[in-house]
Amino acid sequence: MLDLKKVCERALQEGVGPGERAWAWRLLLGVIPASGEAGAVEASLKASRLRYEKLRREHLPDISSSCEEAGDPLTMALGAESGWSRFYASADLRAEIQKDLDRLVISGLPEDHFSRSSFWASMLTVLTVWSTAHPDIGYRQGMHEILALVVLALEDEIAYGCGPAEGDDEADCFSLFEAIMVRHADHFHAGPEAPVVAACRTAQAELLELYEPRLARRLNDYVEPQIYGLRWARLLFSREFEAPASLTLCDALFAAAVGDGDPLAFRRTLQIFFVALLLVCAPRLMAATDEMECLSVLMRPQQCSVLDVVSLARRLIEAQSQTRLANDTIVASVDDRGLPHFTTPLFGGEGGGNADDDSANGSPRAPAVISANDDDDDDDDEALANGLDSALGVLSKYANTPEAVAALDKIKFVADRLRVASV
Amino acid sequence: MTSSSRPFDLQIKLLMIGDSAVGKTSLLLRYANDTFSSTFITTIGIDFKIKTIDLDGKRVKLQIWDTAGQEQFRTITRSYFRGAQGIVLVYDITDRGTFNSVRSWMAQINDHADAQVNRVLIGNKADFETARQVSTEEGQRLADEYGVKFFETSAKNDVNVTECFTTIAREAKARIPTDPNNNRQGQRLNSGRASGSKPGCCK
């Protein structure tokens, strides 16, 4: 039986095994119930397959059904609502998606991996159905690489003989992809005020400031965060590492964001991993002397271990959770969909030991908030106060946006932190 | 590729734009790395290459930005128009739709780039003659209409690639002062509009 808490722990330590990954993701992303109980799992898989069949019928017009609904294409008017105009729009969409699938290569795998995959045809269908069902955003480049991660997890599951007893690969593929996109789709919106731009800015300019103010200042002087961050965030860092390391990072990301699928909670987690990757790059970034050198570090595949990033992200999350604990001691609760909410640290108790291991391995020095346990360190207090000032500055500018709410969170976080430190 | 280790007289920022899958990344990698692959992955957001060349007796460092076709002038590209000294606008001679988009890309350049920015029009995939949908004459006529130079290129067979980058670099160089310090200041990508819009973030 699947145990959510154990899966979370493992995902945030060393990652889950290739055979178990797809199950872990189903659990972490709420595709199957948190109880992991066999009967409930089977029922939820069945329900999501039926749902996919319905969506597919609805959003993937084929020639025969278009004939039935809309009549002869030569005599019928091609009005905006006609079955035939839907059919042609769908054909255009499929051509656009296929262009990206045809040149899909995941670093660490052979160039023809996907064109030889049993999922090849399904990838086009899944993306078409999802995009048509979400016309507000549609298909955006990069979604196909998120789907590629799902396909890799499912291929491994099949190769290890671990798949569901009654498999429907395409429907399973869709369910996992959809579950990721429930949380992540907002980041594909474009435009200068797009959420992904704001998310990158918050991570680099504000969150990083809390942990490593010197690096934050340097980056803010040199680099517009979305230049490198758009790809980091949209692709869930998958181009920054080779497979399977990119999948290990997803294990940890999904585990750290476990919950009811709230996109804002997912974004906050994504931002923590964003900052963790920046911190791992810190020594090289601090050595860079201009914008292009910084970008060369940030926009080339990372030469660091994915487990260093995961371990650092876990410590940042622990530090946040421990601070929140001071005011909030509610343990895991279960919502009306049977999904757990963790308000206590999921992974408490083991972070300290790992922190020591990491520093012994010559990893970048621990960020300010981790080392802030020695209360006497005035520099740390000063850094935190700087972060507070910076966040306050932002809040005054963006008082009516979701970012303002996030900034408010952070101000509270720092205030709490300072209070704890001064006791 | 540390920039500081190689002295240069002048730095020029170029920007590559055009519809998705016309071969912007292929052209850039052919030019900067002399490589070609039939499966260049989709550019997400923006990427860049640096190439330092000798141009009419000056050492010129080209900073070439490669944009995602689908992104259009939105999330990133628009802020990047500011400060670009040359724009390489690419279409695919085997895909008429990408040629039809040239006018809207040109209109966007007008709206968002510096007024005196240099431009060059490229019809790529010229090796694929059997699939051609846009004639050389049509491409040339459109380029003439906008008063820009025109090349048909093949990133695959390395035809006209160096020529098109050298041409745009030379045009840009002709109107830029050669004091490298001044120029570097002017290169700040997030100068102007971007930093002005978020005063709270910059120290």
Side-chain angles (χ1 to χ4, degrees):
Chain A
M1 192 163 114
L2 293 154
D3 181 328
L4 180 61
K5 193 161 178 190
K6 279 194 184 134
V7 168
C8 279
E9 276 171 14
R10 207 136 36 88
L12 277 154
Q13 299 285 344
E14 74 272 22
V16 292
E20 317 154 295
R21 174 163 287 123
W23 279 115
W25 288 10
R26 286 185 190 104
L27 195 61
L28 295 170
L29 296 165
V31 172
I32 56 173
S35 71
E37 190 268 317
V41 166
E42 203 176 308
S44 65
L45 283 179
K46 197 171 171 192
S48 54
R49 279 172 200 154
L50 287 172
R51 193 166 157 277
Y52 176 65
E53 272 172 39
K54 184 168 172 287
L55 281 172
R56 195 185 144 124
R57 271 199 307 276
E58 213 173 307
H59 296 297
L60 196 74
D62 58 25
I63 289 191
S64 62
S65 69
S66 297
C67 268
E68 271 171 36
E69 288 167 27
D72 182 343
L74 296 178
T75 56
M76 301 305 289
L78 290 177
E81 293 303 311
S82 90
W84 282 110
S85 63
R86 274 181 61 228
F87 175 76
Y88 289 121
S90 178
D92 287 348
L93 173 65
R94 284 199 298 270
E96 185 188 3
I97 294 170
Q98 191 64 53
K99 259 187 197 173
D100 287 338
L101 288 176
D102 283 341
R103 50 188 177 146
L104 170 61
V105 178
I106 295 288
S107 178
L109 296 171
E111 279 196 358
D112 60 353
H113 179 90
F114 291 97
S115 59
R116 293 161 57 96
S117 166
S118 62
F119 284 89
W120 180 235
S122 294
M123 291 178 82
L124 176 61
T125 308
V126 165
L127 286 168
T128 307
V129 171
W130 190 91
S131 309
T132 315
H134 297 84
D136 57 319
I137 180 160
Y139 171 72
R140 309 295 311 165
Q141 288 183 327
M143 289 180 181
H144 68 306
E145 293 190 34
I146 300 298
L147 180 64
L149 298 171
V150 170
V151 166
L152 292 179
L154 289 173
E155 283 174 349
D156 280 343
E157 177 179 73
I158 292 166
Y160 281 79
C162 301
E166 284 173 46
D168 175 344
D169 294 342
E170 188 172 301
D172 289 349
C173 190
F174 181 88
S175 305
L176 270 175
F177 177 70
E178 184 184 41
I180 296 173
M181 294 307 277
V182 162
R183 295 154 171 81
H184 187 43
D186 271 354
H187 297 138
F188 284 91
H189 281 290
E193 300 309 317
V196 70
V197 175
C200 294
R201 200 178 290 157
T202 307
Q204 177 186 297
E206 297 165 43
L207 270 178
L208 183 62
E209 171 88 29
L210 301 180
Y211 301 121
E212 190 59 87
R214 281 194 317 144
L215 178 61
R217 263 172 241 139
R218 164 164 296 236
L219 288 182
N220 293 340
D221 280 346
Y222 284 150
V223 182
E224 188 82 357
Q226 75 265 29
I227 300 308
Y228 64 93
L230 189 93
R231 190 177 77 195
W232 282 20
R234 275 201 185 148
L235 302 186
L236 306 178
F237 312 99
S238 62
R239 278 225 196 140
E240 316 313 312
F241 298 93
E242 292 198 340
S246 45
L247 300 172
T248 302
L249 194 132
C250 284
D251 296 342
L253 185 63
F254 298 157
V258 75
D260 59 2
D262 170 20
L264 287 178
F266 185 74
R267 181 173 308 156
R268 281 195 288 272
T269 309
L270 193 64
Q271 286 171 323
I272 288 183
F273 280 75
F274 194 112
V275 169
L277 184 51
L278 284 176
L279 290 170
V280 167
C281 298
R284 284 184 296 148
L285 289 170
M286 291 308 285
T289 55
D290 65 17
E291 176 197 29
M292 297 314 283
E293 282 185 28
C294 275
L295 285 174
S296 295
V297 173
L298 296 166
M299 295 177 75
R300 300 292 171 254
Q302 303 301 321
Q303 295 145 10
C304 56
S305 145
V306 78
L307 289 180
D308 282 350
V309 178
V310 169
S311 148
L312 200 44
R314 190 182 64 236
R315 282 149 57 196
L316 298 180
I317 292 165
E318 281 166 5
Q320 287 195 340
S321 306
Q322 278 157 15
T323 311
R324 287 206 190 103
L325 258 187
N327 295 327
D328 184 357
T329 51
I330 305 164
V331 285
S333 62
V334 174
D335 73 6
D336 53 7
R337 292 170 57 204
L339 295 168
H341 292 265
F342 295 101
T343 49
T344 52
L346 275 176
F347 330 105
E350 291 165 55
N354 277 302
D356 292 339
D357 293 349
D358 287 343
S359 42
N361 287 339
S363 289
R365 66 192 181 79
V369 71
I370 304 292
S371 57
N373 291 333
D374 32 304
D375 299 340
D376 298 335
D377 196 334
D378 288 336
D379 287 346
D380 289 332
D381 279 3
E382 194 194 341
L384 291 169
N386 285 346
L388 184 60
D389 288 342
S390 151
L392 271 169
V394 170
L395 190 62
S396 65
K397 301 275 177 204
Y398 299 101
N400 299 323
T401 64
E403 286 74 37
V405 179
L408 186 62
D409 270 357
K410 285 189 286 287
I411 291 173
K412 281 188 186 140
F413 167 74
V414 180
D416 287 346
R417 189 75 222 173
L418 285 172
R419 237 171 277 130
V420 171
S422 62
V423 169
Chain B
M1 61 175 293
T2 54
S3 46
S4 48
S5 60
R6 306 189 66 186
F8 56 90
D9 304 310
L10 178 68
Q11 181 167 239
I12 294 176
K13 182 182 159 194
L14 301 177
L15 188 69
M16 306 194 61
I17 58 171
D19 278 3
S20 185
V22 296
K24 297 180 291 296
T25 306
S26 299
L27 284 166
L28 180 53
L29 290 181
R30 168 60 78 192
Y31 181 59
N33 297 6
D34 200 20
T35 53
F36 180 80
S37 158
S38 56
T39 54
F40 280 127
I41 52 179
T42 313
T43 305
I44 302 295
I46 195 158
D47 208 338
F48 73 92
K49 288 272 172 200
I50 303 274
K51 189 174 169 96
T52 307
I53 58 169
D54 288 311
L55 193 64
D56 309 327
K58 293 279 184 210
R59 194 101 185 114
V60 178
K61 182 173 159 188
L62 297 178
Q63 190 190 97
I64 311 171
W65 289 87
D66 180 22
T67 64
Q70 198 200 30
E71 202 65 47
Q72 303 213 347
F73 294 84
R74 301 191 285 185
T75 312
I76 278 182
T77 322
R78 193 162 9 189
S79 58
Y80 266 66
F81 272 76
R82 291 279 157 84
Q85 284 124 345
I87 294 179
V88 180
L89 203 175
V90 187
Y91 68 89
D92 171 0
I93 67 149
T94 72
D95 182 347
R96 177 158 289 277
T98 67
F99 179 71
N100 293 340
S101 301
V102 166
R103 285 184 187 281
S104 83
W105 287 108
M106 284 289 190
Q108 296 284 346
I109 295 172
N110 264 348
D111 288 350
H112 302 295
D114 296 339
Q116 66 281 50
V117 70
N118 298 98
R119 301 162 298 171
V120 62
L121 182 66
I122 305 294
N124 190 37
K125 307 195 190 177
D127 51 275
F128 200 4
E129 195 57 52
T130 51
R132 180 187 283 274
Q133 294 182 359
V134 183
S135 72
T136 308
E137 293 70 32
E138 270 182 289
Q140 184 64 59
R141 218 177 305 137
L142 191 59
D144 291 345
E145 191 186 320
Y146 286 102
V148 303
K149 291 224 167 78
F150 172 67
F151 294 92
E152 283 198 345
T153 58
S154 164
K156 189 177 176 183
N157 296 344
D158 197 6
V159 176
N160 269 345
V161 177
T162 304
E163 288 77 357
C164 84
F165 283 103
T166 308
T167 298
I168 188 81
R170 183 171 283 129
E171 286 185 358
K173 174 175 166 286
R175 61 174 180 84
I176 297 172
T178 47
D179 175 1
N181 290 323
N182 261 348
N183 192 249
R184 285 177 72 118
Q185 269 308 324
Q187 288 302 307
R188 281 299 310 279
L189 294 167
N190 47 1
S191 61
R193 174 181 174 284
S195 55
S197 68
K198 52 176 189 70
C201 301
C202 294
K203 286 268 159 189

